[in-house]
Amino acid sequence: MESTRSTRSLSFPDKVLQRVFTHLTSNEDRNSVSLVSKTWYNADRLSRSKVSIRNCYSVSPEILVRRFPNVRCVTLKGKPRFSDFNLVPPDWGADVHAWLVAFADKYPLLEELRLKRMVVSDESLEFLALSFPDFKRLSLLSCDGFTTDGLEAIASYCKNLTEFDIQENGVEDTSGSWLSYFSESFKSLEVLNFANLSSEVDFDALERLVSRCKSLKVLKVNRSVSLEQLQKLLVLAPQLVELGTGSFSQEFSAHQFVELESCFNNCKNIQSLSGLCDVTARYLPAIYPACANLTFLNLSYSAMGSGELDELLMHCPRLQRLWVLDTVGDKGLEAVGSNCPLLEELRVFPSDPFDDTIQGVTEAGFLAVSFGCPRLHYVLYFCQQLTNAAVATIVQNCPDFTHFRLCIMKPRQPDYLTNEPMDEAFGAVVKTCTKLQRLSVSGLLTDLAFEYIGMHAKNLEVLSIAFAGSSDRGMQCVMEGCPKIRKLEIRDCPFGDAALLSGLDQYESMRSLWMSSCNVTMDGCRLLAKKMPRLNVEVIKDDESDDNQADKVYVYRTVAGPRKDSPPSVFTL
């Protein structure tokens, strides 16, 4: 039978097979079919136009361009997620330039580049702009190393640009004039996002740009754009689907308010709304006409109270995703439960993670949401307190969670009513939510919580652990019981060498392991590297640590071998 199948696949016309493969949009599906036979491998190789690399050191640029010669769209991720918490040295690596040089040689038709946590210099942006005449889409998320001079190069030379998306980057603003570098004949832009830039922009240039780009669907401006200026932009672009506003601090007359309300009323297609910096109850009614079709509302930069949120949500009957600050309080989350029956994703961020006097939100708000939003399957929840019983009720109300990311702000907090560990809470999550793919745990947890995870979380792919566990047994339970685990992030836990070495059967199939401030030693890391030569075992040493202490350990699979650009603080074993 196998011989017959092989013969059939070999006799299948190559061009037809490649045409069929173009309809496979999932990288995982393509990776699977490429293993069927050499013919299918080559068909995938020649037909793949998009690649996604979740770790820029898991493969080299040379290997990538040799394997896939016809790529036009690349997604590339660099530093570990813990770089967001300043746990990775600034000079760690993930410079994009070597990739761009390889792409310029082999991918002259490159159209799209999406970078996350990469180091991107102004020189790299200029090289990108000059090397790919058909380049169309650039997305930079949590990247650093560049200034607005690099943005000027993109605006100057990318004549066919349709997407320019700059999110949460460490950008040095040398000038706000970069928008003026788009030529007066340029009009192809469909996505423009510069919401996180801090400097004032040349509004006249922005206004001219928006007026020319009739296909603009996404516009997210920074807080330097005033309410009056936003109104002018809305008049020019009523077709917007996603809008990120600037600041709402400007004083408006009654007549100006009516005009602003009219502008929002003409924007019938808006499905995503963000920004709303400094918005107050006085200006919220102007927004209401544009809320009827909203599916995503991002208030993570707006310190809105419960009353304002309640009023706003009454006008958002189709809302599916909501991001808020904990300033909304439990009352605000009660409004979510009352007004958002279609809600699928909720993220509640701390307004000030270092101020423990802020009341924030508790289990009461989370419970209210779970009662009113049965479709909820993604949650990121920063709270002050929680109980085992509340979490058990929440997951009974919403059993389809795929992502459950819970952070109790004070480390090792027990159930505040019973003073018991939070083991049963997370036991209830993994027992009830059989579709769970990502889990973040917090609070006072013993090894029992990880026994529950190992026994029940059979579809878990990403697990984040902080300030939890009693012994090596906790991590051992996870490694032994979670066959689909792909990414494991651990910090400030009592896991040592035995825990580290318990994953020998798993690490080859995982993307990465991060351990920091644990009990891992250099000897344990060396033994892991010896037993698993196809893994990169990197140790980041702090200045004053013990010689045999492995302060931060980053383990990942790679086909490129040890990297050559490690700084002195990073040891590859």
Side-chain angles (χ1 to χ4, degrees):
M1 186 176 293
E2 289 299 324
S3 176
T4 302
R5 289 176 180 171
S6 177
T7 301
R8 287 176 179 172
S9 68
L10 288 171
S11 63
F12 208 68
D14 291 346
K15 289 186 177 180
V16 174
L17 192 60
Q18 291 177 32
R19 183 66 179 270
V20 170
F21 276 28
T22 60
H23 295 283
L24 291 176
T25 57
S26 164
N27 283 335
E28 287 75 15
D29 289 344
R30 277 186 164 269
N31 291 341
S32 296
V33 298
S34 69
L35 300 175
V36 171
S37 68
K38 187 173 182 179
T39 301
W40 284 36
Y41 174 92
N42 286 327
D44 170 51
R45 174 178 176 270
L46 296 174
S47 65
R48 194 178 297 212
S49 62
K50 297 182 179 181
V51 294
S52 179
I53 301 168
R54 296 186 176 98
N55 179 348
C56 66
Y57 291 113
S58 64
V59 66
S60 69
E62 295 75 21
I63 293 174
L64 175 67
V65 298
R66 186 166 62 245
R67 169 80 186 273
F68 301 114
N70 298 313
V71 165
R72 296 194 178 193
C73 307
V74 177
T75 297
L76 191 59
K77 298 181 181 180
K79 300 176 185 178
R81 190 175 70 91
F82 278 103
S83 64
D84 294 344
F85 305 98
N86 298 318
L87 294 179
V88 175
D91 60 350
W92 182 82
D95 193 314
V96 75
H97 200 79
W99 292 87
L100 295 178
V101 171
F103 294 165
D105 183 39
K106 299 296 184 180
Y107 297 157
L109 300 180
L110 187 74
E111 297 178 355
E112 178 179 315
L113 187 62
R114 300 185 179 279
L115 304 178
K116 185 174 183 179
R117 299 192 188 96
M118 297 290 292
V119 175
V120 184
S121 66
D122 289 340
E123 291 76 16
S124 292
L125 289 175
E126 184 174 4
F127 182 85
L128 168 68
L130 293 172
S131 300
F132 306 99
D134 293 325
F135 192 77
K136 296 179 180 178
R137 294 176 290 276
L138 177 63
S139 173
L140 303 175
L141 174 59
S142 299
C143 296
D144 56 60
F146 63 98
T147 73
T148 47
D149 291 345
L151 305 185
E152 292 175 3
I154 298 295
S156 297
Y157 302 117
C158 295
K159 304 299 184 182
N160 300 309
L161 198 66
T162 61
E163 179 176 345
F164 201 8
D165 193 351
I166 313 161
Q167 301 181 56
E168 306 298 335
N169 298 283
V171 186
E172 181 184 345
D173 288 359
T174 57
S175 123
S177 64
W178 59 275
L179 283 167
S180 65
Y181 282 74
F182 285 103
S183 72
E184 293 301 321
S185 61
F186 176 84
K187 52 186 177 182
S188 60
L189 210 57
E190 298 173 8
V191 176
L192 177 61
N193 178 5
F194 59 93
N196 79 301
L197 294 189
S198 58
S199 66
E200 292 190 10
V201 296
D202 182 338
F203 181 75
D204 290 339
L206 174 61
E207 188 176 21
R208 293 195 303 273
L209 179 63
V210 171
S211 68
R212 294 195 305 270
C213 297
K214 302 301 182 182
S215 297
L216 193 67
K217 294 293 188 293
V218 178
L219 176 61
K220 298 180 181 180
V221 301
N222 68 0
R223 61 189 308 146
S224 74
V225 175
S226 70
L227 208 50
E228 183 178 3
Q229 292 171 332
L230 177 68
Q231 180 179 323
K232 293 179 180 180
L233 298 177
L234 293 180
V235 170
L236 295 171
Q239 76 280 0
L240 289 175
V241 175
E242 297 185 28
L243 172 65
T245 75
S247 174
F248 272 65
S249 60
Q250 182 179 351
E251 288 294 326
F252 256 29
S253 67
H255 175 69
Q256 288 175 310
F257 180 88
V258 171
E259 289 184 339
L260 179 65
E261 188 177 35
S262 176
C263 286
F264 273 105
N265 189 48
N266 289 332
C267 296
K268 304 293 187 183
N269 301 317
I270 292 182
Q271 298 175 16
S272 172
L273 181 62
S274 59
L276 304 179
C277 304
D278 309 312
V279 70
T280 63
R282 177 183 177 185
Y283 291 114
L284 276 179
I287 304 170
Y288 295 161
C291 292
N293 294 316
L294 280 188
T295 59
F296 180 29
L297 179 60
N298 182 355
L299 301 173
S300 61
Y301 293 96
S302 177
M304 191 174 291
S306 59
E308 292 92 340
L309 182 63
D310 191 5
E311 289 289 331
L312 181 56
L313 293 181
M314 287 182 184
H315 297 84
C316 306
R318 300 184 181 182
L319 204 63
Q320 297 175 18
R321 303 173 63 207
L322 175 63
W323 296 8
V324 295
L325 293 176
D326 61 6
T327 55
V328 302
D330 289 334
K331 286 291 184 183
L333 295 182
E334 288 175 13
V336 175
S338 300
N339 293 291
C340 305
L342 303 181
L343 195 70
E344 298 178 0
E345 176 183 323
L346 173 67
R347 303 193 190 197
V348 181
F349 299 95
S351 52
D352 187 346
F354 303 106
D355 186 351
D356 55 10
T357 65
I358 296 177
Q359 177 61 33
V361 295
T362 70
E363 80 282 0
F366 203 170
L367 279 166
V369 173
S370 73
F371 280 113
C373 309
R375 297 187 182 185
L376 192 67
H377 62 78
Y378 189 121
V379 69
L380 171 62
Y381 197 77
F382 287 82
C383 62
Q384 300 297 325
Q385 63 186 40
L386 213 60
T387 67
N388 286 300
V391 175
T393 302
I394 288 165
V395 295
Q396 286 294 332
N397 293 336
C398 304
D400 293 328
F401 275 114
T402 58
H403 295 68
F404 194 91
R405 303 170 64 189
L406 179 63
C407 180
I408 302 174
M409 296 297 291
K410 188 176 180 180
R412 299 187 176 92
Q413 276 280 84
D415 180 318
Y416 77 98
L417 292 180
T418 67
N419 211 37
E420 293 290 322
M422 296 295 296
D423 297 335
E424 297 304 324
F426 290 99
V429 173
V430 295
K431 291 175 186 176
T432 307
C433 305
T434 57
K435 301 175 184 177
L436 194 67
Q437 298 173 13
R438 183 169 185 177
L439 177 64
S440 298
V441 299
S442 62
L444 179 62
L445 295 176
T446 72
D447 288 343
L448 179 59
F450 300 104
E451 290 180 19
Y452 287 142
I453 293 172
M455 283 191 289
H456 301 284
K458 299 306 178 183
N459 289 310
L460 191 65
E461 297 180 4
V462 180
L463 176 61
S464 301
I465 309 168
F467 305 98
S470 309
S471 69
D472 288 337
R473 178 64 185 155
M475 182 172 168
Q476 289 169 342
C477 289
V478 172
M479 301 311 297
E480 293 168 3
C482 300
K484 295 185 179 180
I485 196 77
R486 296 292 176 266
K487 190 175 181 181
L488 185 55
E489 303 171 332
I490 305 170
R491 57 171 297 190
D492 295 276
C493 293
F495 302 151
D497 292 346
L500 175 69
L501 296 172
S502 67
L504 292 178
D505 294 333
Q506 288 279 69
Y507 293 143
E508 285 270 350
S509 62
M510 289 174 58
R511 290 205 304 271
S512 65
L513 164 71
W514 171 276
M515 296 181 74
S516 61
S517 300
C518 296
N519 295 331
V520 177
T521 69
M522 294 294 291
D523 290 338
C525 294
R526 291 188 186 97
L527 184 55
L528 173 61
K530 181 178 180 180
K531 289 180 176 290
M532 308 293 289
R534 289 187 291 185
L535 297 178
N536 273 3
V537 180
E538 296 186 1
V539 178
I540 303 173
K541 294 286 287 182
D542 293 333
D543 292 338
E544 299 179 356
S545 63
D546 181 88
D547 288 344
N548 197 38
Q549 179 182 347
D551 304 299
K552 303 178 183 75
V553 183
Y554 186 45
V555 180
Y556 56 91
R557 61 182 181 180
T558 179
V559 295
R563 60 190 180 106
K564 300 177 177 63
D565 61 350
S566 299
S569 59
V570 177
F571 300 85
T572 301
L573 304 178

